Amino acid sequence: MGDYRRLLKYLRPHLFLFIAAMLAMLLTALFETATGALLVPLLNQFQEVDANPSSTLFLLHKLIPLKPWFQAWLTISALLVLFTFLKGVGSYVSAYLMARIGQSAVLALREELYSHLLAQSASFYGKHRTNFLVSRLVTSCAAIELAVSANVRDVLRETCMLFFFIGAAFFYNWRLMLGALVLGPIIGMLTSRFSRALRKLADVSIKGNQKLTDTAQETLSNSTIVKAYSAEDHEKSRFSKVARMIAEANLSAGRISALSPPLIELIGVLAMVVFFYFGLREINLGNMDAAQFFAFLFFLFRSYDPMRKISRQHNEITKAFAAARDVWDVLDEDDRIPIDPDPVSVSRLSDCVKFEDVSFGYGLEGVSVLKNISVEIKKGETVALVGESGGGKSSLVKLIQRLYDPTEGSILWDGTDLRRLEPSSFRKQFALVSQETVLFNESIRYNIAYGNPSASDKEIAEAAKVAFADGFIEELPDRYETLVGERGVLLSGGQRQRIAIARAVLANAPFLILDEATSALDTESERFVQLALENLMRGRTSVVIAHRLSTIRKADRIYVIDKGKIAESGNHEELLSAGGIYRKLYDLQFSEQEPIAE
């Protein structure tokens, strides 16, 4: 029941539409029943009937003359066409309204889920694969939409039909109908057992599909590695194993779904054999005539059709709620960065950013990536972070942006703890250019203007010029409207970096973070990117993680991070003279770059 109640939260705003859809379903069931009720006056035309014809539902027998037969046929035909038309109108209205409710409800659910995901901290994304989250956002929500707009609609419609048909059967002979109701608990028990089995299989199928998506995405996105290590057979085996598991679960579910309707139908037909005996007995006792008995059988048989459809749709709804529980699980997991109840509005840095005895770990017990860090970054300074890979440089940069909170100590922005600052205005203080450039599968214009969507064409072109990107952009067929492909795959590495720098220029943030922005580039590309970075860094506070000597030796201050601690600090000449870790790094990594730097 918890799943149903939770889904009602999204349906409640559409209560008026739901009531209208229910009324349309009731009208559909009413006119479907009225169509069946015409069976009695129609059969009366084939037998000798006295002045008092057999009574039928809605007093329709009073509208239809016994003679002449042509007038009776004309009246029955007119009523049949009218009832069919009205039934069609009711069916259309109910289907449209339920589809509208389903789309609106799932739109609200998707927007809530997407907003929830965007609000999560970096640690949340560290725990969940992207495919896992996208699957919840797209596939699971689509299953819920189908359940509301189609499956629930069909269950409600067929339930209305069932009640009207049972009511009609009671009207013609309540004694026979009471006997027929004995079948209800039997069918209910079978439906319950089928549903439980299908629920388990649906969970297996959904989890298998998610694993299959992850497997395929990993393999296809890393196809060069797969080919390099001749691992095609291994990946085929891994994929096939998951695919077979899904196929087996779906086959078992299909077997149960296929067995459920005919089994229920067989029980109904066996019961009909018994009803024929008691029906003939009722006719012989004068409790009903032949026309009424056949109308009773008609509605009784018709009542099993809604039961069968409800059983089938219940199976589908069970699968949908298995998907819904995956969505609820994501919504229930909240790993946001805490926001102060009375946050302080952020202004541009006027003094410094200060780390005071900061320690940090990624949630692994006893493992600290940074230990007792005390660092000061003054306004307008360029600070370089150097050290071996895995030393904690990138983690320190993430703490500056408050993508994570320190486990110990505090980070101050002009004397105010970052945890007290308003997050949205705080993040606008930063521009980021990283080694792994992130571009969207949109135009160059869109990517440059991402940090400032209201920028004019002139401002975008100026930012591209500052980033030395205007030259290659102008050579492209569609210039600024050129699509860059997924993650910028249609551009070279140097071009992607210059687009990212242009984006940072246009955002005009006062605090710049460069995370190994040139480490993956060739010499020619690096030359352009270095010039662009120099333009970008001018007049800004900058923190640089770099492997290139030309960037590091221009820094006002260099912090050497070793095994999560600040091992040394000073400028280039001071650290070289000290002969410590920086000197060793210089001799190993930087000395060969000296001619280039000069």
Side-chain angles (χ1 to χ4, degrees):
M1 288 301 293
D3 291 333
Y4 285 95
R5 282 198 299 270
R6 194 153 187 177
L7 185 58
L8 282 174
K9 166 189 170 184
Y10 302 96
L11 300 178
R12 200 169 290 119
H14 311 288
L15 181 60
F16 175 77
L17 289 179
F18 182 75
I19 291 172
M22 281 299 301
L23 289 174
M25 291 179 199
L26 288 170
L27 287 174
T28 302
L30 173 68
F31 290 115
E32 180 74 20
T33 306
T35 301
L38 291 173
L39 184 63
V40 172
L42 182 63
L43 290 174
N44 282 336
Q45 299 302 313
F46 298 96
Q47 59 182 341
E48 289 296 327
V49 179
D50 57 21
N52 295 314
S54 305
S55 61
T56 189
L57 287 167
F58 314 120
L59 302 177
L60 292 177
H61 58 282
K62 296 192 179 218
L63 300 176
I64 302 167
L66 290 174
K67 294 180 181 179
W69 67 268
F70 180 78
Q71 190 173 350
W73 169 82
L74 198 61
T75 306
I76 292 172
S77 299
L79 290 174
L80 182 61
V81 172
L82 177 64
F83 293 161
T84 302
F85 173 76
L86 293 174
K87 180 184 71 174
V89 171
S91 180
Y92 168 78
V93 170
S94 64
Y96 171 76
L97 292 179
M98 287 302 292
R100 184 170 175 178
I101 291 170
Q103 292 293 343
S104 300
V106 171
L107 175 62
L109 176 60
R110 276 200 174 118
E111 288 177 340
E112 180 185 350
L113 180 58
Y114 196 59
S115 297
H116 177 80
L117 292 174
L118 290 176
Q120 298 309 302
S121 67
S123 61
F124 175 88
Y125 292 98
K127 290 184 286 186
H128 297 294
R129 293 186 180 189
T130 303
N131 288 334
F132 171 88
L133 299 173
V134 171
S135 173
R136 301 304 186 269
L137 192 64
V138 179
T139 308
S140 298
C141 286
I144 297 171
E145 185 273 325
L146 181 64
V148 174
S149 61
N151 302 133
V152 172
R153 176 202 68 202
D154 289 347
V155 167
L156 292 173
R157 184 188 62 205
E158 297 303 326
T159 300
C160 292
M161 293 284 189
L162 180 61
F163 278 111
F164 271 86
F165 292 165
I166 289 175
F170 264 112
F171 172 83
Y172 290 114
N173 194 298
W174 62 269
R175 285 178 292 274
L176 289 177
M177 194 58 212
L178 282 177
L181 288 180
V182 174
L183 293 175
I186 298 173
I187 294 173
M189 181 186 69
L190 287 172
T191 301
S192 177
R193 294 194 59 160
F194 287 143
S195 295
R196 280 198 301 271
L198 280 170
R199 191 179 300 118
K200 292 178 182 177
L201 291 169
D203 286 335
V204 172
S205 180
I206 288 170
K207 287 181 172 59
N209 276 302
Q210 291 157 3
K211 189 173 181 181
L212 193 69
T213 303
D214 285 343
T215 302
Q217 192 274 336
E218 282 181 345
T219 303
L220 297 177
S221 62
N222 297 302
S223 59
T224 53
I225 298 296
V226 174
K227 291 182 183 299
Y229 287 92
S230 299
E232 289 91 344
D233 290 338
H234 170 70
E235 293 301 335
K236 285 178 189 175
S237 174
R238 201 159 67 103
F239 183 88
S240 296
K241 183 180 178 181
V242 181
R244 285 195 194 96
M245 180 188 70
I246 296 169
E248 289 171 5
N250 288 341
L251 187 60
S252 297
R255 187 171 61 247
I256 293 172
S257 295
L259 178 64
S260 172
L263 183 59
I264 292 173
E265 186 175 5
L266 177 62
I267 293 171
V269 170
L270 290 174
M272 289 305 108
V273 175
V274 179
F275 290 139
F276 273 121
Y277 167 77
F278 287 104
L280 291 171
R281 183 170 176 272
E282 287 290 293
I283 292 173
N284 289 324
L285 291 174
N287 293 327
M288 63 193 309
D289 59 27
Q292 291 172 325
F293 177 63
F294 281 111
F296 168 82
L297 287 180
F298 171 81
F299 283 112
L300 191 59
F301 272 113
R302 287 299 309 275
S303 69
Y304 286 110
D305 188 49
M307 285 184 197
R308 188 169 61 250
K309 289 180 179 177
I310 289 170
S311 173
R312 187 182 300 123
Q313 293 302 327
H314 191 271
N315 296 339
E316 296 301 318
I317 290 172
T318 300
K319 295 178 187 177
F321 274 110
R325 279 189 291 275
D326 289 335
V327 177
W328 309 149
D329 288 343
V330 175
L331 285 172
D332 290 339
E333 184 179 353
D334 200 349
D335 193 10
R336 309 182 197 204
I337 290 287
I339 300 176
D340 191 276
D342 187 22
V344 177
S345 181
V346 183
S347 56
R348 291 197 167 210
L349 187 69
S350 61
D351 184 15
C352 69
V353 173
K354 185 182 290 187
F355 282 63
E356 293 186 341
D357 203 25
V358 168
S359 297
F360 171 71
Y362 285 101
L364 299 173
E365 285 193 34
V367 179
S368 291
V369 179
L370 297 173
K371 305 163 191 173
N372 308 114
I373 298 292
S374 292
V375 167
E376 186 174 278
I377 304 166
K378 293 182 179 178
K379 177 187 176 182
E381 271 191 338
T382 295
V383 172
L385 305 177
V386 300
E388 297 287 354
S389 295
K393 304 184 295 296
S394 294
S395 298
L396 190 147
V397 163
K398 290 173 183 176
L399 291 177
I400 295 175
Q401 300 171 83
R402 209 195 166 199
L403 298 178
Y404 297 90
D405 280 336
T407 49
E408 295 179 20
S410 57
I411 306 171
L412 307 180
W413 178 279
D414 285 339
T416 303
D417 195 309
L418 296 191
R419 286 169 284 211
R420 293 199 56 223
L421 300 179
E422 197 279 314
S424 180
S425 60
F426 173 69
R427 298 258 166 80
K428 290 179 181 177
Q429 305 300 313
F430 295 93
L432 171 68
V433 181
S434 63
Q435 176 183 354
E436 186 180 352
T437 306
V438 177
L439 296 181
F440 297 91
N441 189 13
E442 294 282 353
S443 66
I444 289 175
R445 179 191 306 279
Y446 176 90
N447 278 283
I448 293 177
Y450 190 75
N452 184 7
S454 60
S456 65
D457 290 349
K458 183 179 179 182
E459 290 170 324
I460 292 170
E462 184 62 31
K465 187 175 181 180
V466 173
F468 291 93
D470 59 324
F472 79 82
I473 293 174
E474 293 295 337
E475 293 175 358
L476 296 171
D478 297 319
R479 302 174 66 210
Y480 286 87
E481 301 305 324
T482 302
L483 295 177
V484 302
E486 186 176 1
R487 302 183 70 84
V489 70
L490 300 180
L491 302 177
S492 70
Q495 289 171 338
R496 288 197 296 270
Q497 283 289 37
R498 280 178 274 168
I499 294 295
I501 292 169
R503 178 169 60 196
V505 169
L506 193 60
N508 196 29
F511 202 116
L512 179 64
I513 293 174
L514 304 177
D515 189 352
E516 301 182 326
T518 62
S519 63
L521 301 179
D522 57 61
T523 304
E524 179 69 16
S525 297
E526 183 192 349
R527 186 171 67 85
F528 281 109
V529 171
Q530 282 286 11
L531 291 171
L533 287 175
E534 287 176 11
N535 285 343
L536 177 62
M537 293 167 68
R538 194 171 293 120
R540 290 181 169 87
T541 307
S542 303
V543 174
V544 182
I545 299 174
H547 289 157
R548 298 296 185 185
L549 178 63
S550 57
T551 302
I552 295 171
R553 63 189 304 176
K554 292 178 182 177
D556 299 298
R557 196 176 317 172
I558 301 169
Y559 287 101
V560 181
I561 301 178
D562 182 51
K563 297 178 182 178
K565 295 183 178 181
I566 300 296
E568 298 173 350
S569 66
N571 61 34
H572 175 66
E573 288 75 17
E574 291 170 349
L575 292 175
L576 278 182
S577 301
I581 294 174
Y582 182 80
R583 180 75 204 202
K584 292 178 182 177
L585 288 171
Y586 173 82
D587 290 338
L588 288 171
Q589 300 178 26
F590 302 145
S591 59
E592 63 184 27
Q593 299 174 28
E594 189 74 42
I596 298 173
E598 297 293 345

